[in-house]
Amino acid sequence: NFVKLIKKEIKKGKREDIYKNRILHMLRTIRAFLLRFRKLHTIFLDPHIHEDLRIALNWADESISIVTENGFIRLLDHCRLIPGFNEITLLLADFINEETDYRVSMDYKYQYNKMNPLCGETMAYRESILKKWSQSSMYMNNENSHTPRRISHMIAGIAAGLAMGFALFIAIYAESYFPRNSTWWILIIVVSYIFKDRIKEILRNSFGNMLPRLTSDQQSNLFDPALRNKVGKSSGTINFVNLLSVPDAVKELRYKRPNPFRKILPENDIIHYKRLIKFKSKALKKNHSRLEAITEIIRFQIEDWLKEMDDSQDFLYRLENNVKCRIPGGRVYRVHLIVGLLDINFEREERLFHYRIILNKSGIMRIEKVTFQPDVD
């Protein structure tokens, strides 16, 4: 807000002395704040303070440093447009360089490394993670309410009852002389119809969950391309799940890097796709004696994801010899893909493979096989 205000005043071109003093005052204020805040590092060496608090202090310090540097780089750009502001621009450049050197001295992850071609991408991702962490205390947790579903069941039942009642009353009007159409008999029919309709829906959903192979989202028969004989079948189901339903082995692989603040960060969106494939192995081997393996291709449509992504051209900048330079690389998103292979006919341990898909608004940039790295999430 301060930088935006100064930008407006510079455009007006009036009373340069006022906003010159305001800039100097802000610079002194920020310096004083950072000096006092960073004294906490000494206090936090107390052995009675939990390690999680030290990590929180480091993350907060790194986050504040990034915000401060980026803000003053923008301010430096505006000040260079004003003749006679050389002294202020030098002070701002020195301050920005001090922040860069400070993060290096503290071994923080937000650092420029010209030897790393993906440095800008890594820095943008780190800035995003710290922003989410620092603002997480302002977010309310949301949980799906069961009330709409319950109300929908009630409404559906009432609607079914009204429809049945209407049909019965029409039948009574036509057959008004038949004694079997008494009031109590009608009420029993209507109520029984309501329960019958709801029981049917509940059982349908229950059986669908109990027999996913019979109610899968995708089903196909597999044929030998040479003889067109059926040699297997394939079925797939997809569900949106929460972290509690994820197997421990998958959670251990995905969250191998420790993070004491994972509980307060927004939860990951988790999609579970399960594919079951059955082959008639004898028939395949009989027709293809040199068969060694079968390739399975699974495709996912990510177009809707790309539409929701931020512009990848939101660049980061740094100072080099007091000159503003763009850091190569852009903002990216990371999707973790964990593939599990299991032979259901044998009691063997499931084999898990972990990949990280790097995307931006244009699509997939690359796919990395994940090995444990303490500095990468």
Side-chain angles (χ1 to χ4, degrees):
N1 291 338
F2 171 73
V3 174
K4 289 179 180 177
L5 176 63
I6 295 299
K7 182 181 178 181
K8 289 181 181 178
E9 293 298 320
I10 290 174
K11 285 184 177 180
K12 293 177 183 178
K14 299 177 181 179
R15 301 303 304 270
E16 292 182 2
D17 56 326
I18 292 179
Y19 55 79
K20 180 178 181 180
N21 290 331
R22 187 71 182 87
I23 291 171
L24 291 173
H25 176 72
M26 175 59 77
L27 188 58
R28 288 193 296 269
T29 302
I30 295 294
R31 279 184 181 276
F33 164 75
L34 292 176
L35 182 63
R36 293 191 63 182
F37 179 79
R38 287 166 179 169
K39 284 182 178 179
L40 290 173
H41 288 290
T42 304
I43 299 173
F44 273 46
L45 291 176
D46 189 323
H48 297 94
I49 292 179
H50 197 278
E51 182 62 24
D52 288 356
L53 289 178
R54 296 192 186 97
I55 296 174
L57 176 61
N58 288 340
W59 284 21
D61 191 17
E62 183 180 4
S63 182
I64 290 171
S65 178
I66 295 169
V67 172
T68 303
E69 181 182 283
N70 291 339
F72 275 98
I73 286 177
R74 293 196 300 272
L75 182 60
L76 180 62
D77 260 358
H78 302 320
C79 290
R80 279 182 169 151
L81 301 175
I82 310 172
F85 263 48
N86 292 337
E87 181 185 352
I88 286 186
T89 56
L90 288 175
L91 289 173
L92 291 176
D94 289 343
F95 179 70
I96 294 167
N97 290 326
E98 286 173 9
E99 282 304 302
T100 304
D101 294 339
Y102 173 76
R103 289 196 303 275
V104 174
S105 69
M106 294 296 290
D107 197 27
Y108 290 152
K109 296 173 186 176
Y110 188 89
Q111 295 183 27
Y112 175 71
N113 179 6
K114 63 181 180 180
M115 303 301 294
N116 181 6
L118 302 177
C119 179
E121 176 187 304
T122 305
M123 293 172 69
Y125 187 77
R126 178 63 176 174
E127 180 188 20
S128 174
I129 289 294
L130 288 174
K131 182 179 179 181
K132 288 179 180 178
W133 170 78
S134 62
Q135 295 181 359
S136 60
S137 60
M138 297 188 292
Y139 300 145
M140 291 187 292
N141 294 328
N142 61 76
E143 188 175 297
N144 293 331
S145 172
H146 297 292
T147 302
R149 187 175 64 182
R150 291 167 181 163
I151 291 176
S152 66
H153 281 304
M154 291 174 60
I155 292 174
I158 293 171
L162 290 173
M164 187 64 180
F166 177 78
L168 285 174
F169 278 115
I170 292 297
I172 290 171
Y173 182 78
E175 303 178 10
S176 58
Y177 297 102
F178 291 92
R180 63 170 183 163
N181 295 322
S182 63
T183 304
W184 286 106
W185 184 84
I186 294 170
L187 290 174
I188 291 171
I189 294 297
V190 172
V191 172
S192 65
Y193 182 80
I194 293 174
F195 277 97
K196 187 266 297 184
D197 186 69
R198 290 300 90 207
I199 289 171
K200 180 189 70 175
E201 290 296 318
I202 292 171
L203 288 177
R204 184 177 66 85
N205 292 333
S206 299
F207 286 141
N209 293 330
M210 292 169 61
L211 304 170
R213 298 180 190 176
L214 300 179
T215 59
S216 57
D217 299 314
Q218 297 174 332
Q219 280 193 353
S220 57
N221 293 321
L222 306 176
F223 292 88
D224 188 322
L227 304 177
R228 289 296 297 170
N229 292 334
K230 183 178 177 181
V231 292
K233 60 183 179 180
S234 172
S235 62
T237 56
I238 187 167
N239 291 295
F240 293 86
V241 300
N242 57 34
L243 192 59
L244 294 176
S245 59
V246 175
D248 291 338
V250 174
K251 283 192 283 192
E252 182 180 352
L253 191 62
R254 167 61 183 93
Y255 300 113
K256 204 163 188 176
R257 177 181 174 233
N259 184 342
F261 310 110
R262 184 162 286 122
K263 291 182 180 179
I264 65 173
L265 285 169
E267 285 191 6
N268 292 149
D269 294 323
I270 305 172
I271 301 173
H272 179 209
Y273 179 76
K274 183 178 181 180
R275 194 164 189 83
L276 177 66
I277 306 172
K278 286 190 173 183
F279 292 114
K280 296 179 181 178
S281 303
K282 292 182 179 179
L284 280 172
K285 292 179 179 179
K286 180 180 179 181
N287 298 330
H288 305 277
S289 58
R290 294 189 295 173
L291 179 65
E292 293 183 352
I294 295 174
T295 300
E296 169 72 8
I297 299 175
I298 300 174
R299 292 182 174 88
F300 294 97
Q301 177 61 264
I302 62 171
E303 183 179 357
D304 290 340
W305 292 0
L306 304 181
K307 292 177 182 177
E308 300 296 327
M309 292 182 179
D310 291 335
D311 188 355
S312 59
Q313 301 302 314
D314 186 11
F315 298 116
L316 298 175
Y317 296 91
R318 65 186 183 90
L319 287 189
E320 185 173 341
N321 298 324
N322 291 347
V323 177
K324 178 182 173 181
C325 301
R326 183 170 70 84
I327 298 174
R331 194 170 300 280
V332 298
Y333 293 80
R334 297 179 180 181
V335 176
H336 289 261
L337 175 67
I338 296 180
V339 181
L341 297 178
L342 178 65
D343 189 338
I344 61 174
N345 295 320
F346 300 94
E347 295 183 358
R348 295 175 181 171
E349 185 177 352
E350 183 177 18
R351 296 176 62 191
L352 297 174
F353 305 88
H354 188 184
Y355 299 92
R356 187 166 46 234
I357 306 171
I358 312 299
L359 309 98
N360 64 12
K361 201 172 182 66
S362 301
I364 295 177
M365 300 177 63
R366 65 184 182 277
I367 299 177
E368 304 169 342
K369 184 172 177 60
V370 178
T371 54
F372 177 58
Q373 299 178 34
D375 296 337
V376 178
D377 196 2

